[in-house]
Amino acid sequence: MKAQCVSLQLMAAILFLCSVHARGLRRCLVSIDIRHIEESFQEIKKTIQAKDTFQNVTILATSETLHGIKPLDVCCVTKNLLAFYVDKVFKDHQELNPQILRKLSSIANSFLYMHRALQQCQMQKQCHCREEATNITRTILDNYSELEVRSAAIKSLGELDVFLTWIDKNHQGTSAA
């Protein structure tokens, strides 16, 4: 009887800790209309992807790279990839078409907003970066640096739908800020 009582207490403690941890992660997720970002990208996707001369190369690596990320690493990888797009891709891309530039600026601003919110969570120790998350980010950065800067920026922008789909899947139904 005592063993059964102890195991029930242990189970309750584990469930409590898991719920506290899950709530902590939810506080890091940002409330943003991902559909609006996806729509903005869909309007320029064909034009961007038509400029891509390296059809057999990927920056975001294989789909397993993003889809194999453990839930514990989602916050960190999201924050790192948002920084990658804001600090590298959008800055390295040179666009002359004002309509495309406007859409890209809107997407970049949304990414910057999300990145800052996740950075705040990391400073509050609610968004942990484990070695696995850092390795995934490093792989993507290495893929980017293997191409010439302009080509890498075009390639990364052309793969934006992959990243947006991944964000939507991993952050759906949650919000905070």
Side-chain angles (χ1 to χ4, degrees):
M1 187 71 162
K2 282 186 178 184
Q4 196 175 29
C5 187
V6 169
S7 66
L8 282 175
Q9 289 173 341
L10 183 59
M11 179 76 94
I14 291 171
L15 288 173
F16 173 75
L17 290 173
C18 287
S19 72
V20 167
H21 180 68
R23 276 186 268 135
L25 286 176
R26 260 187 243 121
R27 279 182 280 178
C28 287
L29 301 179
V30 180
S31 177
I32 191 134
D33 185 3
I34 197 76
R35 299 284 181 240
H36 176 71
I37 299 170
E38 289 172 334
E39 288 170 9
S40 291
F41 177 67
Q42 287 305 319
E43 292 175 22
I44 60 172
K45 178 180 176 177
K46 287 182 183 173
T47 306
I48 295 287
Q49 289 179 341
K51 297 177 185 178
D52 184 2
T53 56
F54 297 100
Q55 297 296 319
N56 59 340
V57 177
T58 64
I59 300 293
L60 294 179
T62 61
S63 60
E64 298 98 45
T65 300
L66 288 178
H67 298 297
I69 295 170
K70 294 177 177 70
L72 194 58
D73 295 325
V74 167
C75 178
C76 180
V77 171
T78 304
K79 182 187 71 64
N80 290 345
L81 289 182
L82 289 168
F84 162 71
Y85 271 94
V86 169
D87 296 338
K88 283 207 158 296
V89 178
F90 292 122
K91 286 183 180 177
D92 289 345
H93 181 67
Q94 297 177 356
E95 185 59 56
L96 300 176
N97 183 322
Q99 288 117 348
I100 293 176
L101 189 57
R102 228 180 345 270
K103 295 291 182 187
L104 288 175
S105 292
S106 173
I107 294 168
N109 287 333
S110 295
F111 278 22
L112 184 60
Y113 168 77
M114 290 187 291
H115 179 259
R116 286 183 177 158
L118 292 176
Q119 230 174 357
Q120 282 294 112
C121 282
Q122 189 174 32
M123 285 190 284
Q124 296 168 355
K125 301 199 184 308
Q126 296 173 348
C127 181
H128 305 283
C129 285
R130 298 178 330 136
E131 185 177 347
E132 291 87 350
T134 305
N135 289 342
I136 289 165
T137 305
R138 189 176 307 117
T139 298
I140 291 168
L141 290 171
D142 289 347
N143 291 345
Y144 188 88
S145 58
E146 286 178 11
L147 294 175
E148 182 268 324
V149 173
R150 286 185 182 179
S151 298
I154 291 284
K155 174 58 77 177
S156 296
L157 288 173
E159 294 179 350
L160 197 56
D161 55 343
V162 173
F163 182 46
L164 293 172
T165 300
W166 182 82
I167 288 175
D168 190 37
K169 177 183 172 223
N170 285 280
H171 296 278
Q172 63 188 346
T174 56
S175 65

